[in-house]
Amino acid sequence: GEYREVFKRARSDGYIRMRVDGEIRSLDEDITLDKYVKHNIEVVVDRLVVSDRIRTRLTDSVETALKLAEGLVIVNVPGGEDRLFSEHFACHECGISLEEIEPRLFSFNSPYGACPACSGLGTILEIDPEKVIPDPSMSIMEGAIKPLGTPRGHWHFRQIFNLADRLGEDITKPFGKLSRKFQKIVLYGSGSTKVRITGGNKRMRWETFAPFEGVIPNLERRYRQTESQAVRTWIEGFMKAVPCRECGGSRLKKEALAVTFKGKNIYETTKMPVGEALRYFESLRLSENEERIARQILKEIRQRLRFMNNVGLDYLTLHRTTGTLSGGEAQRIRLATQIGSQLVGVLYILDEPSIGLHQRDNRRLLNTLTALRDLGNTVLVVEHDRETMKCADYIIDLGPGAGIHGGNIVAEGPPEKIAASGSLTGLYLSERKRIETPPERRSGNGRFLTISGAAGNNLKSLTVKIPLGKFICITGVSGSGKSTLINMTLYPAIARKLMRANLDPLPYKKITGLEHLDKVINIDQSPIGRTPRSNPATYTGLFTPLRELFSKLPEARARGYKPGRFSFNVKGGRCERCEGAGIIKIEMHFLPDVYVPCEECKGRRYNRETLDIRFKGLTISDVLDLTCEEALEIFENIPVLKRKLETLRDVGLGYIRLGQQATTLSGGEAQRIKLASELSRVSTGRTLYILDEPTTGLHFEDVNMLLRVLGRLVDKGNTVIV
């Protein structure tokens, strides 16, 4: 019946011939077909003798065929093969079809272009054997298999014990010394091979045979099947992100990657650094027709690349994820966007744009800012950098000190006027005051930490030998590999081996000299706490002896108050209306949360009974409101408090309040609080401290103070890498 409809339609449209299974048939014939066989039926639209005069008729016939067959036409030349032409992005030979080529096909943020395996992320999570067996020197009996813990009577351990008996393995030996075959079965399972499992008690024993699933397949299956977010989070602790095997990390569908321009697909193009991409697009040679089509597109591409190149980002690859950019790099990308807009009469405000910049790149940034000014804009820069200040048309110097010692304009005017003033900035700008070079260098302890074969990102299989007991500086132009070497390779590798941290270092071969270290500490500028409850007193451990002091006062002892009474984090002594926060959070739904002072305790955190206890006329709330300098005068006769307070003062934080909310501290202040916390500890002299650009956001005087603090850490025998 379906075939008859085709014939009927062809007759009504005026066609007189069809090709059925390769044979030309007249529609006047009575054509009978076997309904159990698949047939090829084609309408013969036209038959032409090849000559110069058939162009118009040929065009009409092709259009008719395409319309009739919904975009398909077959051209047959006698003596040759049929050639199928299609208006669709499809191949009749292999069955692959493409959607219409449009911009969204090349976006990994769109479901039309994203790789289906990784949803456009470029990475997938998979179980890492090194996280399942973090310490191969432990035996299975000691808990070497971290997800299983120490042996208990459950199913997995029974199977492992029987496997060990059958293969003659001693599970009291370190896991790393067991046979490779046994290790592989434990981790990945026995396949179809069944393992005997026994159980029961004295009265009744039982046994059964089943394949051993393996620790890793078991975790993968549970991760897929569970609906519990807690279980998924726990299993993710044993996972690491690896490049997606389907797209190779490109994040795009194969169809998108199949489209090339001058031999490169879009992923290969975005893998180029900005500088190289700019040279590539500027040197493109196109035909006249191609140039006419692409002129405007290429103009926009070249212009944007030029802007990024001009602000010193020529080393960044175009496909780099924003999460891997430093604050300075992200800021300069935004700056390049603004330059491209070519706006006039705009006030631009930049907060320390020189962050992470090498001196070579700083000049290029200043040229860009000058260009913005010359367009007719005002550029306001918050900065400590000497070159930036000297380049400015006008400087406003705030001070004279930090915190409660600041808040005044101490000098303003052109750079020359500031340099001639007596302000702290002016003294350093005129070099009447400077950061002195040490008169002699430390000799170290003669030991070395060596990392070999570091090959992450742009590192060329480096071997780096670091002397211990010294102050070491890792330097180089922006993008040269400093953070890759230290933050992404050395620190995770050491932390994983010494402290069993759940970190994934970038590729390296081996690391030696760890026996000379007992721990590694990364002191960065991240907040010391993300809620208003965190403060310098709690972070440095100052709050514990403070609470003990208040609990020993006669009035407190008479009332039976313990140290916990003076904690704002536990019930008893705190204000229950705000639960000891001193402020109440009001959720604004689609807006940021708003914090307001507690109406009951007026921001003092404690209830009335707790505030009855006083030391030298001060309540515990009053003490938390003191600056370090004020507290030092009051507690100078209490050694444990005096030592911690002196350390905070020595790192230049004498002005901060003990109970100041962590959310109000700058990055530099948070970093120095961490340093003070380390300095106040009893040192073993075998610690490695790592700091990534610690001078970010610091004035010359703060840098001077920071260097003295780092010097004290090294003088105790520790190693500091900056």
Side-chain angles (χ1 to χ4, degrees):
E2 197 176 328
Y3 296 136
R4 287 196 190 93
E5 285 299 319
V6 174
F7 296 150
K8 192 174 174 183
R9 182 179 162 198
R11 280 196 191 99
S12 66
D13 286 346
Y15 298 106
I16 57 172
R17 292 186 184 85
M18 299 192 73
R19 193 166 70 166
V20 181
D21 296 334
E23 183 184 349
I24 299 292
R25 307 284 292 271
S26 169
L27 289 180
D28 295 334
E29 301 177 43
D30 183 21
I31 302 172
T32 55
L33 300 173
D34 187 340
K35 68 178 180 179
Y36 298 110
V37 177
K38 187 176 180 181
H39 301 280
N40 287 324
I41 302 177
E42 293 130 14
V43 177
V44 180
V45 170
D46 203 353
R47 302 178 82 183
L48 301 168
V49 176
V50 178
S51 73
D52 295 336
R53 290 173 293 177
I54 64 167
R55 180 179 294 273
T56 303
R57 179 172 165 181
L58 177 61
T59 302
D60 292 341
S61 298
V62 169
E63 285 180 358
T64 303
L66 290 171
K67 186 177 178 182
L68 185 70
E70 297 177 350
L72 295 174
V73 60
I74 294 173
V75 176
N76 168 253
V77 179
E81 293 184 0
D82 285 358
R83 292 187 64 185
L84 175 67
F85 294 93
S86 170
E87 286 187 315
H88 308 300
F89 301 106
C91 173
H92 72 286
E93 298 287 344
C94 62
I96 288 178
S97 64
L98 297 176
E99 297 173 40
E100 186 177 349
I101 307 296
E102 52 185 320
R104 64 182 181 178
L105 178 66
F106 303 99
S107 170
F108 44 76
N109 290 320
S110 163
Y112 293 93
C115 166
C118 64
S119 302
L121 294 174
T123 58
I124 55 171
L125 286 174
E126 67 175 31
I127 305 294
D128 182 5
E130 290 188 17
K131 290 183 179 179
V132 173
I133 314 286
D135 187 1
S137 64
M138 292 173 67
S139 70
I140 291 175
M141 298 299 289
E142 293 170 329
I145 307 171
K146 194 172 179 181
L148 300 184
T150 51
R152 297 182 295 276
H154 65 61
W155 187 267
H156 275 104
F157 279 115
R158 288 196 187 114
Q159 286 180 304
I160 290 171
F161 295 156
N162 282 301
L163 267 171
D165 286 341
R166 191 168 127 200
L167 297 173
E169 298 285 349
D170 180 5
I171 56 174
T172 61
K173 286 168 60 178
F175 187 85
K177 293 189 177 179
L178 298 171
S179 71
R180 290 289 178 87
K181 179 182 178 183
F182 183 67
Q183 289 180 23
K184 190 174 179 181
I185 291 174
V186 168
L187 290 174
Y188 297 102
S190 62
S192 58
T193 306
K194 293 185 178 180
V195 180
R196 185 171 69 95
I197 310 155
T198 60
N201 51 39
K202 290 181 181 178
R203 289 181 295 173
M204 185 180 73
R205 301 290 296 170
W206 57 266
E207 73 172 22
T208 186
F209 291 86
F212 178 58
E213 185 179 21
V215 177
I216 289 176
N218 175 264
L219 290 171
E220 289 173 341
R221 177 178 56 77
R222 289 163 65 190
Y223 187 75
R224 287 193 306 270
Q225 293 176 355
T226 186
E227 293 181 3
S228 167
Q229 188 56 45
V231 173
R232 291 177 70 87
T233 303
W234 175 72
I235 295 174
E236 281 171 5
F238 302 106
M239 292 178 151
K240 69 174 180 180
V242 297
C244 172
R245 294 182 183 86
E246 182 79 17
C247 65
S250 68
R251 312 205 277 185
L252 292 165
K253 284 180 178 176
K254 289 178 180 176
E255 290 86 344
L257 298 174
V259 181
T260 60
F261 173 70
K262 298 293 180 185
K264 290 181 184 288
N265 62 35
I266 191 166
Y267 178 59
E268 290 166 339
T269 305
T270 57
K271 279 204 307 187
M272 291 192 285
V274 168
E276 186 184 329
L278 179 59
R279 290 189 293 274
Y280 170 75
F281 281 104
E282 284 185 335
S283 62
L284 272 179
R285 295 289 174 264
L286 304 177
S287 67
E288 187 180 338
N289 197 38
E290 288 173 334
E291 185 67 46
R292 194 178 297 117
I293 296 167
R295 184 185 295 119
Q296 194 59 38
I297 298 170
L298 287 174
K299 179 190 170 187
E300 293 293 328
I301 291 172
R302 289 165 182 159
Q303 200 171 37
R304 282 162 169 73
L305 288 171
R306 221 170 276 129
F307 293 147
M308 286 194 284
N309 191 63
N310 291 343
V311 293
L313 297 175
D314 54 306
Y315 60 90
L316 284 185
T317 54
L318 293 169
H319 78 316
R320 180 101 166 250
T321 55
T322 52
T324 65
L325 297 173
S326 70
E329 286 169 337
Q331 191 174 48
R332 279 178 283 154
I333 287 173
R334 290 194 292 272
L335 187 61
T337 307
Q338 289 302 321
I339 298 166
S341 65
Q342 296 285 301
L343 295 174
V344 176
V346 175
L347 170 63
Y348 288 104
I349 298 176
L350 295 95
D351 188 11
E352 302 189 44
S354 69
I355 289 172
L357 280 193
H358 190 271
Q359 285 80 353
R360 182 197 69 168
D361 302 316
N362 210 23
R363 186 70 253 170
R364 294 158 82 176
L365 173 70
L366 293 173
N367 291 340
T368 304
L369 296 179
T370 307
L372 270 179
R373 177 202 64 191
D374 294 344
L375 280 171
N377 302 300
T378 304
V379 181
L380 192 61
V381 181
V382 179
E383 189 58 272
H384 302 289
D385 177 64
R386 183 192 301 275
E387 196 176 359
T388 306
M389 284 192 273
K390 286 188 172 181
C391 187
D393 301 314
Y394 197 85
I395 296 176
I396 300 173
D397 187 11
L398 294 176
I404 59 169
H405 304 306
N408 300 300
I409 294 176
V410 293
E412 59 180 314
E416 303 79 31
K417 185 178 177 182
I418 303 297
S421 73
S423 74
L424 202 53
T425 304
L427 292 173
Y428 277 101
L429 205 55
S430 63
E431 299 193 14
R432 284 174 286 164
K433 191 168 184 179
R434 67 181 73 194
I435 299 170
E436 298 294 342
T437 303
E440 57 183 51
R441 305 294 177 184
R442 297 177 182 85
S443 56
N445 58 22
R447 295 173 179 146
F448 292 88
L449 177 71
T450 306
I451 185 162
S452 307
N457 294 337
N458 63 340
L459 299 183
K460 309 295 190 293
S461 194
L462 298 185
T463 295
V464 182
K465 198 173 182 182
I466 297 169
L468 299 178
K470 291 188 176 185
F471 185 137
I472 294 127
C473 180
I474 308 292
T475 188
V477 296
S478 302
S480 58
K482 303 184 296 293
S483 295
T484 298
L485 175 64
I486 303 300
N487 293 354
M488 301 180 194
T489 309
L490 184 71
Y491 171 67
I494 299 174
R496 192 163 181 167
K497 291 185 182 293
L498 289 184
M499 304 164 78
R500 296 186 184 176
N502 192 13
L503 298 172
D504 295 317
L506 291 177
Y508 73 98
K509 287 180 182 174
K510 66 175 182 177
I511 187 166
T512 58
L514 291 178
E515 65 275 11
H516 307 310
L517 301 171
D518 59 5
K519 61 184 173 189
V520 59
I521 295 172
N522 189 15
I523 300 175
D524 56 19
Q525 293 200 355
S526 61
I528 58 172
R530 300 192 180 276
T531 67
R533 288 183 177 277
S534 301
N535 56 53
T538 55
Y539 188 87
T540 57
L542 189 69
F543 199 37
T544 301
L546 262 179
R547 290 186 289 113
E548 289 171 351
L549 171 66
F550 270 83
S551 68
K552 289 174 182 175
L553 295 174
E555 180 74 11
R557 294 178 70 178
R559 297 189 184 191
Y561 290 170
K562 302 295 182 195
R565 177 84 194 191
F566 301 94
S567 171
F568 49 74
N569 287 319
V570 294
K571 288 184 178 180
R574 71 183 184 184
C575 166
E576 286 305 322
R577 172 79 187 276
C578 61
E579 296 182 336
I583 53 177
I584 292 174
K585 182 172 80 170
I586 298 174
E587 293 185 5
M588 301 294 286
H589 301 293
F590 300 109
L591 295 170
D593 296 335
V594 173
Y595 292 92
V596 297
C598 172
E599 293 179 1
E600 191 161 318
C601 68
K602 302 294 186 285
R604 303 192 74 190
R605 301 180 181 226
Y606 296 93
N607 57 32
R608 186 174 54 80
E609 292 77 17
T610 306
L611 295 176
D612 285 341
I613 311 300
R614 294 174 181 267
F615 176 79
K616 293 187 178 182
L618 299 172
T619 66
I620 185 74
S621 179
D622 295 332
V623 170
L624 288 174
D625 204 37
L626 295 173
T627 65
C628 290
E629 291 166 345
E630 292 168 343
L632 192 53
E633 290 180 20
I634 292 169
F635 300 111
E636 62 178 347
N637 295 320
I638 303 172
V640 64
L641 293 173
K642 182 182 177 183
R643 190 180 75 249
K644 290 181 182 293
L645 288 166
E646 279 181 335
T647 310
L648 282 168
R649 182 197 62 189
D650 292 346
V651 299
L653 295 177
Y655 61 89
I656 66 166
R657 301 191 183 278
L658 300 184
Q660 188 172 333
Q661 296 169 7
T663 51
T664 66
L665 296 169
S666 70
E669 287 170 336
Q671 186 179 49
R672 280 180 286 166
I673 287 172
K674 293 174 187 177
L675 280 168
S677 180
E678 290 301 323
L679 280 168
S680 64
R681 292 195 175 111
V682 178
S683 174
T684 61
R686 299 179 62 203
T687 303
L688 174 64
Y689 295 96
I690 294 175
L691 298 94
D692 187 13
E693 303 196 31
T695 59
T696 297
L698 297 190
H699 188 271
F700 302 110
E701 184 66 11
D702 297 324
V703 174
N704 207 354
M705 213 170 286
L706 174 72
L707 290 171
R708 286 202 297 270
V709 172
L710 296 179
R712 283 174 58 183
L713 286 173
V714 182
D715 290 340
K716 291 181 178 181
N718 302 300
T719 305
V720 172
I721 296 178
V722 174

